[in-house]
Every structure is written in structure tokens, then in C-alpha cells.
Amino acid sequence: MELPGWVPEGVEVTVPNAARMYDYALGGYHNFAIDREFVERAEELMPGAISSTHANRAFVRRAVRWLVDAGLRQFLDIGSGIPTLGNVHEVAQRMAPESRVIYVDIDPVAVAHSGAILADDPVTRVVWGDLRRPAEILYHPDVLGFLDFSQPVAVLLNLVLHFVSDEDDPAGILARVRDVLVAGSHLTVTHGAPVPQRASEQQHVTRMYQSTPTSLHLRTREQVEQMLADWELVEPGVVPVTEWHPDPDDDGVSPQPGILAAIAKVPRA
């Protein structure tokens, strides 16, 4: 099969990929037939799956604006996916042009395309990294050379922790991230959650993810709160993604109980 020129050498295109599926759901074009088929099938099994990705993207924009208003000027977006309109650097730098952003993803397509898009942006970078090995990200020379960890940093973990199994210890990962951050640093999290009324639909989609490199692990609000126990939650705490500081113009947005959202900060000693 002949691949487009933007595809890095050696990319697996016969297995659905979370970053490329998210790209397709948001209307992007850096995806393959297998990714599109997965998303369309998930939408058939659980109507509203695609709209939930748009709700997550809207939260990211609101969260970045909130963080910039709070004085944050450094952003580490882990599990960033493939750049689409309204990405973190665009939102942050529109408000504060000096904002520095590093995107991190495990998918080589996301990393390669992000690098091409950002080649001429002096305050934005992209690196490859696996959240399950946070030290390799936090101590990556490109990260250490670009962000100043003696100053507050915003770490974004949006729609990525639910791809981390209990065996890989998501709470421990968050603890290791927190340990390198100074007071005033913040963390954003969005996470897939079980919805009792849609349990059968969610089970079908969860089983579908078992055929991909990133199996899905839905967690309740209480479980997400437990993962964030050593952080200081920002009001309103862990809530459905559409309920976290909604924009006044979002009155017509459908509720999304299947995605939880929160911002937390490193507590002061």
C-alpha cells in the first residue's frame, strides 16, 4: 500500500491507533482507513462517542485559558496526539505569546507531523515519549533544555491516563510527575468513566480497544480522585468534562458523563 508523504517510515498502519482515531474524530486527515473504521464502529455501538472527543477538545481550550490567566507560561502536554485547530500552543500563545509548549506522544505519526508543523515556532517543541515511563519524559534533554522546572509548569494529561492499566500504576506516575514540579505547578486530567446507563455500549467499545496497542481502562470519579489524592484539586474538582467551568455560550452542549475532567495543583508546603 502506498502511503502519504507525511507518514514516517515504519509506521504500523494495519492496527488502529488512539492518536489517529482522535484526529479523525476531530475532523483531521492524519489517519488511515483502519482508524476511521474503528471510530465509525465505536460511534455505531455507542452513539455520541465522536461528540465526546469534541467536548474534550473544548475542555482543553478552556483549561489552557484558565491556566494562562493563573499565570502559567510553561506547558508539557503528554499524550498530545496530532495537532488540530485550537491546540495548546495556539490557545496559550494567543493570550501570552511567550508561553512555551512541549508536546509529547507515543505515536510516531503524531510526533513527526507535530515536528513539521512546529518547525518554525521558537517556543514550541515536540518529543517522543511513553507516559508509562515518566522519568524518560521529565528528564529528556529536550524537555530539560526547554522548560525551567524551577518555575511552575502545567502538565496536561488529557484522554491518556485511561490507556494506562492499573498494573502500570497511574497514581504512581502522577506522583513521579508531581515530585519534579514546584509549588504553583498545575495538572489537567480528562479520563474516560463508566456510565451505568450505557454499560453495555461501553463494554462493546472497551472490548474493541483490546485489539489495539492501547487497551481502555474506564475509572469512576472516586478512582480518579484517589489518583489525585496528593494534589490540591481546583474547584469544582473532578466533574463531567462539560461541567468544568463551561463557557456561557455552551448552553446547548450535550452532557458528557463518560469523560471526567479536573485541574489540580502542587500544594504549597
Side-chain angles (χ1 to χ4, degrees):
M1 178 175 63
E2 185 175 351
L3 299 177
W6 50 262
V7 180
E9 185 177 351
V11 168
E12 173 58 69
V13 298
T14 62
V15 177
N17 173 278
R20 300 195 303 260
M21 289 187 285
Y22 189 58
D23 174 69
Y24 175 63
L26 290 174
Y29 62 91
H30 291 90
N31 49 73
F32 306 117
I34 192 70
D35 308 307
R36 297 188 287 273
E37 291 166 6
F38 188 105
V39 172
E40 296 294 346
R41 180 58 176 157
E43 180 69 21
E44 290 176 10
L45 292 171
M46 192 173 69
I50 291 177
S51 65
S52 70
T53 64
H54 288 270
N56 181 76
R57 174 61 57 167
F59 163 80
V60 173
R61 291 193 291 267
R62 297 197 306 276
V64 171
R65 291 197 296 265
W66 187 95
L67 290 164
V68 173
D69 281 340
L72 276 295
R73 296 295 184 269
Q74 300 187 103
F75 297 83
L76 179 61
D77 186 355
I78 303 175
S80 54
I82 297 167
T84 55
L85 186 65
N87 242 36
V88 172
H89 73 284
E90 294 177 331
V91 177
Q93 292 166 8
R94 187 177 303 122
M95 297 177 66
E98 73 277 17
S99 297
R100 301 172 78 83
V101 179
I102 290 190
Y103 292 116
V104 182
D105 205 273
I106 195 172
D107 175 44
V109 169
V111 174
H113 192 62
S114 299
I117 289 176
L118 303 170
D120 297 325
D121 187 331
V123 288
T124 309
R125 296 284 186 276
V126 58
V127 301
W128 182 93
D130 185 340
L131 178 60
R132 294 169 298 180
R133 301 194 294 274
E136 295 181 11
I137 297 172
L138 298 167
Y139 294 98
H140 191 292
D142 290 345
V143 174
L144 290 177
F146 193 68
L147 300 181
D148 178 4
F149 282 90
S150 70
Q151 299 297 317
V153 175
V155 178
L156 284 64
L157 298 177
N158 299 311
L159 292 190
V160 64
L161 279 170
H162 54 218
F163 295 127
V164 177
S165 69
D166 290 342
E167 291 74 19
D168 286 317
D169 190 14
I173 290 171
L174 292 183
R176 290 190 287 277
V177 171
R178 188 194 64 244
D179 286 346
V180 305
L181 301 177
V182 299
S185 295
H186 285 65
L187 172 76
T188 79
V189 169
T190 57
H191 197 296
V195 180
Q197 300 90 331
R198 307 193 74 179
S200 177
E201 298 170 359
Q202 287 187 320
Q203 287 171 3
H204 285 307
V205 174
T206 299
R207 282 196 291 268
M208 287 176 61
Y209 269 96
Q210 301 303 322
S211 65
T212 77
T214 47
S215 57
L216 187 62
H217 306 274
L218 302 179
R219 295 185 175 98
T220 64
R221 179 186 302 199
E222 292 72 23
Q223 289 173 313
V224 174
E225 288 174 340
Q226 187 174 12
M227 286 194 296
L228 295 169
D230 293 331
W231 299 73
E232 182 180 332
L233 283 170
V234 170
E235 291 294 333
V238 180
V239 296
V241 68
T242 47
E243 296 179 18
W244 197 93
H245 293 254
D247 286 333
D249 296 334
D250 287 348
D251 289 342
V253 174
S254 300
Q256 295 291 340
I259 300 180
L260 299 172
I263 289 185
K265 60 183 179 180
V266 176
R268 296 190 181 277

